Amino acid sequence: MSKPSEAPATSPGDVSGEEPGEGIALARLLAMGFRLAITGLHERLAERGWDDVRPPYGFVLLALRTGPSTVTDVAALMGMTKQAASQLVDAMAQSGYLVRTVDESDRRQRALSLSAKGRTLLGAVEEIYAEIEAEWADMAGGDDLRTTRDALTRIVLTANDGALPAVRPTW
Amino acid sequence: MSKPSEAPATSPGDVSGEEPGEGIALARLLAMGFRLAITGLHERLAERGWDDVRPPYGFVLLALRTGPSTVTDVAALMGMTKQAASQLVDAMAQSGYLVRTVDESDRRQRALSLSAKGRTLLGAVEEIYAEIEAEWADMAGGDDLRTTRDALTRIVLTANDGALPAVRPTW
DNA sequence: CTAGATGGTCAAGTGGCTTGACCATCACCG
DNA sequence: CGGTGATGGTCAAGCCACTTGACCATCTAG
């Protein structure tokens, strides 16, 4: 029986096969960065006792920070079918992070809001993201990390006709 | 029945809920960048007739560019169990991209190599990645994209004790 | 020479998605 | 104003990409 493997602390490039001069594929850098950000978040959430939080939850909680949303919005945010978004929202509601209500102005819609517990979790997510980003600023240099943020923002908006693309990794 | 949704071309932030001044969570930027890179790669591969290539294949092909590898290496590269890596390698071999041989120096190991077809696909992957990166350099500015690459490289190595982390998105 | 470690596979199971169908509600057009 | 089409959402079933637990063959180290 084997557990999921993680590259051990050895020389860079040991398992990449990529020419050192040519550099690592950008897609791979983004993949590794994303993986580290999400596993870091969830390890730290677990340390604080939040041990039933799946990777999509952080994105949904952030989306609800400023006001209610709907299953259709969550589907668009994540890049999944409305059925899958409904299942995701069900799971989050069942864990007590979200509340569903009926939208009086459009009774097809069920409005989704953060519960008190959801707000507390959102606070933890934001704190941990800020911690991780501060550490990454130390590693990369604060100016370079800001440049990275700004460059990625321009890229994702331009490549997606001015709108933010969906979040769910293509895999 | 609904298809997976993609955020439509509307104002930035429509579905993010994130405060404009505070910016988009870095994890989300990485998620969107990764998603655009991988969906872009696979759309363009499909345009060239490569329509049975799954997202992990590009990473495996790149890893084999310089020489043979093993199922254990692929498991470490991807961040999955050896069983899953074996299934992945089987699928790639069945599509004709990889060849398995026995390693005479360690007969436990099955060496994995690129087939001729695999080399051709690798060439297409590298061309398309270069196209996408050139477009992204236009969008973000070449210097800023280089800074992004360098910063991400430092971050992923430092955060993972000097080794490149695994590739598979945590989800 | 033997016990433990390692590379890899077998078989079965699980979780997170999709698909196809359906229902309730809203919007728009004639 | 009524009917048709669109939209928000859910039901039920199925699929795919992984994991788990077990096992076999081979290598390593004491």
Side-chain angles (χ1 to χ4, degrees), chain B residues 123-147:
Chain B
V125 168
E126 290 184 301
E127 267 178 50
I128 291 172
Y129 270 159
E131 276 174 26
I132 291 176
E133 189 152 343
E135 290 162 21
W136 288 20
D138 277 345
M139 296 170 189
D143 283 347
D144 283 1
L145 192 60
R146 248 185 307 281
T147 299

Side-chain angles (χ1 to χ4, degrees), chain A residues 1-2 4 70-72 82-83 86 100 108-110 171:
Chain A
M1 181 264 267
S2 76
T70 63
V71 162
T72 300
K82 286 184 292 177
Q83 173 57 2
S86 185
R100 292 171 115 132
R108 292 175 295 178
Q109 288 193 342
R110 311 293 199 78
W171 197 256

Side-chain angles (χ1 to χ4, degrees), chain A residues 2 7 10 19 30 42 77 86 89 102 116 123 136 138 146 152 164:
Chain A
S2 76
T10 60
E19 297 291 87
L30 292 165
H42 288 276
L77 168 72
S86 185
V89 161
V102 171
W136 288 17
D138 277 346
R146 250 184 307 279
L152 286 176
L164 291 173

Side-chain angles (χ1 to χ4, degrees), chain A residues 1 8 27 50 53-54 61 69 72 89 94 108 129 133 139 151:
Chain A
M1 181 264 267
W50 301 97
V53 181
R54 288 188 40 232
L61 294 168
S69 191
T72 300
V89 161
Q94 220 149 33
R108 292 175 295 178
Y129 272 159
E133 189 152 345
M139 297 170 189

Side-chain angles (χ1 to χ4, degrees), chain B residues 33-119:
Chain B
F34 174 67
R35 181 182 172 93
L36 287 177
I38 299 300
T39 54
L41 171 66
H42 288 275
E43 282 164 4
R44 298 183 203 206
L45 283 173
E47 279 163 15
R48 299 177 183 214
W50 300 99
D51 48 21
D52 68 341
V53 182
R54 288 184 42 229
Y57 291 15
F59 300 108
V60 176
L61 294 169
L62 284 161
L64 291 179
R65 192 214 278 117
T66 52
S69 191
T70 62
V71 163
T72 299
D73 286 344
V74 169
L77 168 72
M78 305 311 302
M80 60 177 55
T81 61
K82 286 185 292 176
Q83 172 57 3
S86 184
Q87 289 168 352
L88 174 58
V89 160
D90 273 351
M92 292 180 76
Q94 218 150 34
S95 292
Y97 300 128
L98 297 186
V99 180
R100 291 171 115 130
T101 57
V102 171
D103 188 320
E104 291 307 328
S105 65
D106 183 339
R107 286 177 20 256
R108 295 173 297 177
Q109 288 193 341
R110 309 294 197 80
L112 307 172
S113 304
L114 288 175
S115 65
K117 185 177 174 187
R119 282 191 194 288

